[in-house]
Amino acid sequence: MSGELPEGWSEGVSRKTGKVYYFNESTGKSQWEFPSEPADMGDKVRASHILVKHVESRNPSSWKEAKITRSKEEAITILQDLRTRIVNKEINFADLAKLESHCGSASRGGDLGWFGRGDMQKPFEEATYGLEVNEMSGIVDTASGVHIIRRTG
């Protein structure tokens, strides 16, 4: 490899050959050659989030808790406290997401990858597109639960 990957690309290893390949996150296509240019992401954005589920969430269970019984108000309070910890630089967003997010993306520091309009629930999409890169949202309420979002691309 010849340096850091350009934006919009990720690296994988072929199960068949063991060779490194490069995946264009916009087109969904792979190539063997190291990419020389950033992927054209068009109108796509990239974001990470921390999700706290509550009893009214469409699926009130997660990898963290088999049965979620907290109220929506309790979930919002938890998320506000988590956001304060990030703002006060007690812990970074990705590390906190790994510990506290109820989404499967927690293992990736909350990273949801690149997505376009119509790919996410409308309140989540609107909040993400309304952020500048590296900006963090306030509380965002969706059918999945309550979130804080950090736009990363």
Side-chain angles (χ1 to χ4, degrees):
M1 184 158 78
S2 54
E4 188 174 323
L5 278 173
E7 189 167 10
W9 291 89
S10 57
E11 185 177 285
V13 177
S14 168
R15 285 184 236 153
K16 186 175 180 181
T17 67
K19 275 182 66 174
V20 171
Y21 65 89
Y22 303 96
F23 180 75
N24 183 313
E25 296 171 356
S26 177
T27 65
K29 294 184 179 178
S30 300
Q31 65 185 45
W32 297 111
E33 302 80 29
F34 187 85
S36 59
E37 300 288 329
D40 178 7
M41 300 313 291
D43 190 33
K44 292 186 176 185
V45 294
R46 187 172 191 160
S48 297
H49 76 135
I50 298 172
L51 167 66
V52 177
K53 291 186 175 190
H54 50 78
V55 72
E56 297 173 45
S57 297
R58 68 178 174 189
N59 179 14
S61 66
S62 75
W63 70 273
K64 278 183 65 84
E65 297 174 68
K67 183 175 183 192
I68 294 171
T69 58
R70 81 180 54 77
S71 70
K72 184 176 184 177
E73 292 73 26
E74 290 171 314
I76 290 170
T77 299
I78 290 167
L79 203 53
Q80 287 170 331
D81 291 344
L82 297 177
R83 189 178 191 287
T84 298
R85 290 179 64 197
I86 295 165
V87 169
N88 291 342
K89 299 186 182 343
E90 294 173 31
I91 188 167
N92 74 44
F93 194 102
D95 289 342
L96 194 57
K98 287 176 185 176
L99 297 171
E100 300 295 342
S101 183
H102 288 210
C103 182
S105 67
S107 64
R108 299 183 304 278
D111 183 23
L112 296 169
W114 292 93
F115 58 89
R117 294 192 183 276
D119 292 340
M120 300 289 181
Q121 294 173 49
K122 196 68 171 169
F124 193 98
E125 172 189 307
E126 289 174 354
T128 305
Y129 274 86
L131 297 170
E132 296 294 326
V133 174
N134 293 319
E135 186 180 5
M136 186 170 51
S137 73
I139 305 298
V140 178
D141 186 11
T142 71
S144 298
V146 291
H147 316 251
I148 49 176
I149 305 165
R150 182 173 166 261
R151 182 167 170 180
T152 57

